[in-house]
Amino acid sequence: MVAMQIEINGRGGVLLLDPGYQVGRVVTVMIDQQYPHTGRFVPASCPKKEYCYQTMVGEKYIQWSVWNDSPKPESNLVYIGASYHSPVCVTERRNLVYNFRSLLATDRKGHLLAGVYFKAALQSTFTLFCDDDQDPNIKHRIKVPSTKFRDSNEVDSDVDKILELCSKHLKMTKIQFYCILSALAKILEDKEFLDQMCKINDDIYKLGVDENNNNEGVNNYNLSG
């Protein structure tokens, strides 16, 4: 993602370039939320989701909200208050503690080809999916408890087949993909780490809610950690 500051007749705003694999467009975020502010929209690649981007916290952050068949949105914060220095220091800090994780492969139009997604929770479930390597109209999907990846002997033939197909789309070997899932499985057994991460995630969400309601979110909440 690239955030570019703009000014139109004294009105400040930000252009978001490449905001995500499901949002194949430039998003305009005006501070006053007037034209050409993009506002809420439904991306063509994901008609069940609705997105909205707006500035908050003294224009140092952009709040990125997603409605997924629910009246309550999931909210993310994108830091835009400084020039780019490093991925960890500046670029989308929100994702570091987001409690829904994914590793995905897409085509040039942003359509999903393969990947894995899971909720950051104790002994979670990995959802593996991919297009068939012979017929892209055939979709493979399987849910596997994360604990299955603690030992390669616990991976059955059906899972092994999808690992093989997914790894091709992800441009890595099956062993590399398995090692990633195995490492994640171990992390998902660390209750203390998960509790702390989810606490930070909740604090960020509350900060965003308060900022929208009374513009005092920054004073009411301190980020954990």
Side-chain angles (χ1 to χ4, degrees):
M1 179 187 293
V2 176
M4 183 172 67
Q5 304 281 350
I6 61 172
E7 185 174 304
I8 303 175
N9 293 330
R11 299 164 52 233
V14 178
L15 291 181
L16 293 180
L17 313 177
D18 191 22
Y21 71 91
Q22 288 183 331
V23 185
R25 58 175 294 175
V26 175
V27 176
T28 304
V29 185
M30 300 301 294
I31 295 173
D32 60 10
Q33 298 187 33
Q34 300 300 311
Y35 182 84
H37 183 70
T38 298
R40 292 177 67 159
F41 66 94
V42 177
S45 62
C46 194
K48 292 185 178 181
K49 290 186 177 182
E50 189 172 8
Y51 289 75
C52 185
Y53 298 78
Q54 61 188 28
T55 58
M56 59 176 291
V57 194
E59 289 76 59
K60 290 185 178 180
Y61 290 85
I62 286 178
Q63 179 172 296
W64 162 18
S65 300
V66 182
W67 290 263
N68 188 10
D69 285 338
S70 172
K72 181 180 178 181
E74 295 179 357
S75 296
N76 306 271
L77 291 181
V78 181
Y79 182 64
I80 60 169
S83 59
Y84 180 90
H85 293 292
S86 73
V88 174
C89 290
V90 177
T91 304
E92 203 173 351
R93 296 180 180 184
R94 177 67 177 87
N95 255 359
L96 295 176
V97 292
Y98 191 36
N99 62 1
F100 185 83
R101 315 298 297 185
S102 61
L103 175 63
L104 307 170
T106 65
D107 62 17
R108 292 182 178 180
K109 294 184 178 180
H111 299 139
L112 288 172
L113 299 175
V116 57
Y117 60 84
F118 61 95
K119 186 174 182 179
L122 197 64
Q123 297 182 348
S124 188
T125 298
F126 293 148
T127 299
L128 299 161
F129 67 94
C130 63
D131 288 351
D132 190 83
D133 57 348
Q134 301 296 324
D135 184 353
N137 292 318
I138 298 176
K139 312 294 182 182
H140 300 280
R141 185 180 301 269
I142 191 170
K143 293 181 180 292
V144 187
S146 61
T147 53
K148 288 285 187 181
F149 291 93
R150 291 181 302 187
D151 185 345
S152 59
N153 293 325
E154 295 188 31
V155 176
D156 58 36
S157 58
D158 289 339
V159 176
D160 189 70
K161 178 182 178 181
I162 289 189
L163 286 176
E164 182 75 39
L165 293 173
C166 284
S167 62
K168 291 179 181 178
H169 287 296
L170 292 167
K171 300 187 185 306
M172 63 177 71
T173 67
K174 183 176 68 174
I175 293 176
Q176 288 174 322
F177 189 32
Y178 173 83
C179 287
I180 290 173
L181 297 176
S182 179
L184 289 171
K186 293 177 182 178
I187 292 172
L188 294 174
E189 293 180 349
D190 189 336
K191 185 178 184 302
E192 183 178 356
F193 169 77
L194 291 173
D195 286 347
Q196 183 181 24
M197 189 186 77
C198 290
K199 175 65 166 59
I200 297 172
N201 179 67
D202 290 343
D203 284 350
I204 292 175
Y205 175 76
K206 291 174 183 176
L207 184 151
V209 170
D210 276 11
E211 174 68 16
N212 286 335
N213 290 340
N214 56 30
N215 294 321
E216 296 178 355
V218 178
N219 296 324
N220 289 346
Y221 291 95
N222 293 316
L223 298 186
S224 304

